[in-house]
Amino acid sequence: MAWRSLHLFRDLYRSRDAFPKPFLQSPIATLLHPALSSALLQRRSHADAAPPPSAVQNPKASNASGDENKSPPFRSSLNEAEVAKFAAIAETWWDFEGPFKPLHLMNPTRVSFIRSTLCRHFKKDPYCARPFQGLQIIDVGCGGGILSEPLARMGATVTGIDAVEKNIKIARIHAASDPVTSSIEYCCTTAEELVKVNKKFDAVIALEVIEHVADPLEFCKSLAALTAPAGATVISTINRSVRSYATAIIAAEYLLNWLPKGTHQWSRFLTSEELVLILQRASISVQEMAGFVYNPLTGEWSLSDDTSVNFIAFGTKGSECDS
């Protein structure tokens, strides 16, 4: 056991960028190992002193006229480092025992929330086999399509977009094996690019994406712009809390090895209050929110009032809003 702890501390020490200052200064870090907390904080301080890298911009969104005083209405929120991170494990999307196993386990609960909220909003029968018939839905950051496919099976006309080309290729191959899901339109693009061509959808869904973008507000503005008047937006993410650090990073990445180390950065997480305010600024009004709770005894997820770790928000765009 002692040797395992030493190996764990060694791995944690090498992962300076995954540890935000608030955690390193917290009692939890000290309890883990006082020397570990001090050493990581020192290394993190040196890293923070270095000049930050320039913001990642979408080349297609650059100003061709050369006028630096003019900026496009929707700046790119693409984070190239995050894109590369997920491209490296793209082949494992449909491996139920691979890095995306937590998402596969959580997916039925995510779908349940989406089905319930969208059916209420669009006055659909939640008990029929295809309640989303007639709805145009976009899955932003679709990955390998593990959410897009259930949406298509519920009758929606689905568009799945992702910035990782490998993800799109894998999603297309997997969807082609079923006549129902083969109708999904997958595109390697970003929300900002679709805004430029004035695309609109009844429902815009972005699950476990916002914590990986460079600018959450710009990302949400793009989601709002893609949402048709009186449409709906659904976002899920991880709360920035002590519990989320202990479970989503320390436990999931370092102890249980559910996810590759460095998958998440705690400092990029948003609290539920912050997400509500960001969506308000993007003309989306949050109507309902729920947390996801994992039961280690059953290995299943369920909806809960506890939003301190994983949570999902349903919002609407008023017909008067023009994003």
Side-chain angles (χ1 to χ4, degrees):
M1 183 64 184
W3 283 108
R4 290 182 181 177
S5 298
L6 287 174
H7 286 306
L8 172 62
F9 292 142
R10 179 199 62 192
D11 292 339
L12 297 180
Y13 178 78
R14 291 174 177 173
S15 307
R16 69 168 188 263
D17 293 333
F19 291 81
K21 282 185 177 179
F23 174 77
L24 298 176
Q25 295 168 334
S26 71
I28 291 182
T30 304
L31 286 173
L32 281 175
H33 197 289
L36 171 68
S37 175
S38 176
L40 281 173
L41 186 58
Q42 184 178 12
R43 293 188 66 185
R44 184 61 184 264
S45 297
H46 291 162
D48 290 345
S54 58
V56 176
Q57 296 290 337
N58 189 328
K60 295 182 180 179
S62 61
N63 194 333
S65 68
D67 187 350
E68 296 181 357
N69 294 325
K70 293 182 179 180
S71 60
F74 296 95
R75 297 192 301 273
S76 174
S77 61
L78 195 65
N79 185 323
E80 293 288 0
E82 295 295 295
V83 170
K85 182 190 301 180
F86 284 94
I89 55 175
E91 289 81 1
T92 64
W93 267 106
W94 290 97
D95 178 0
F96 288 83
E97 296 298 323
F100 297 107
K101 179 179 179 179
L103 288 185
H104 284 284
L105 292 174
M106 188 187 291
N107 211 41
T109 308
R110 303 192 306 178
V111 171
S112 175
F113 178 89
I114 293 169
R115 184 184 185 116
S116 174
T117 53
L118 292 191
C119 283
R120 279 199 298 273
H121 181 68
F122 293 107
K123 296 178 172 57
K124 300 282 188 177
D125 181 4
Y127 300 105
C128 72
R130 295 169 66 82
F132 292 166
Q133 192 77 43
L135 293 182
Q136 299 271 349
I137 300 180
I138 183 169
D139 181 8
V140 179
C142 64
I146 66 174
L147 175 69
S148 296
E149 292 194 8
L151 295 176
R153 292 191 180 96
M154 286 188 283
T157 300
V158 179
T159 298
I161 66 170
D162 201 285
V164 178
E165 187 174 359
K166 286 183 180 179
N167 287 348
I168 294 300
K169 289 180 179 178
I170 288 166
R172 286 172 178 164
I173 291 171
H174 196 273
S177 62
D178 186 335
V180 176
T181 58
S182 62
S183 62
I184 299 172
E185 181 182 1
Y186 285 114
C187 303
C188 183
T189 187
T190 63
E192 291 85 357
E193 289 299 314
L194 291 187
V195 170
K196 293 178 182 179
V197 294
N198 201 33
K199 287 284 188 178
K200 298 287 182 182
F201 300 87
D202 298 306
V204 176
I205 302 176
L207 305 189
E208 321 304 327
V209 177
I210 195 169
E211 65 267 29
H212 300 290
V213 303
D215 190 329
L217 176 57
E218 289 300 321
F219 179 67
C220 287
K221 285 181 178 179
S222 295
L223 298 184
L226 291 175
T227 307
T233 306
V234 180
I235 295 179
S236 70
T237 187
I238 304 175
N239 204 329
R240 194 177 69 257
S241 65
V242 173
R243 282 189 62 192
S244 72
Y245 201 101
T247 58
I249 295 182
I250 297 297
E253 297 184 15
Y254 290 91
L255 300 180
L256 301 175
N257 293 316
W258 281 355
L259 299 168
K261 294 177 178 63
T263 297
H264 294 116
Q265 292 186 42
W266 185 83
S267 59
R268 291 186 178 275
F269 294 165
L270 297 172
T271 67
S272 55
E273 294 82 4
E274 287 170 342
L275 180 60
V276 169
L277 291 174
I278 288 173
L279 288 172
Q280 282 181 347
R281 292 182 62 186
S283 302
I284 298 293
S285 175
V286 174
Q287 304 295 325
E288 189 172 339
M289 187 177 291
F292 295 120
V293 175
Y294 179 72
N295 185 333
L297 298 179
T298 63
E300 297 179 347
W301 291 82
S302 60
L303 292 173
S304 167
D305 292 333
D306 182 0
T307 61
S308 63
V309 183
N310 298 83
F311 69 97
I312 188 168
F314 163 78
T316 58
K317 179 179 177 180
S319 57
E320 74 280 0
C321 295
D322 184 13
S323 296

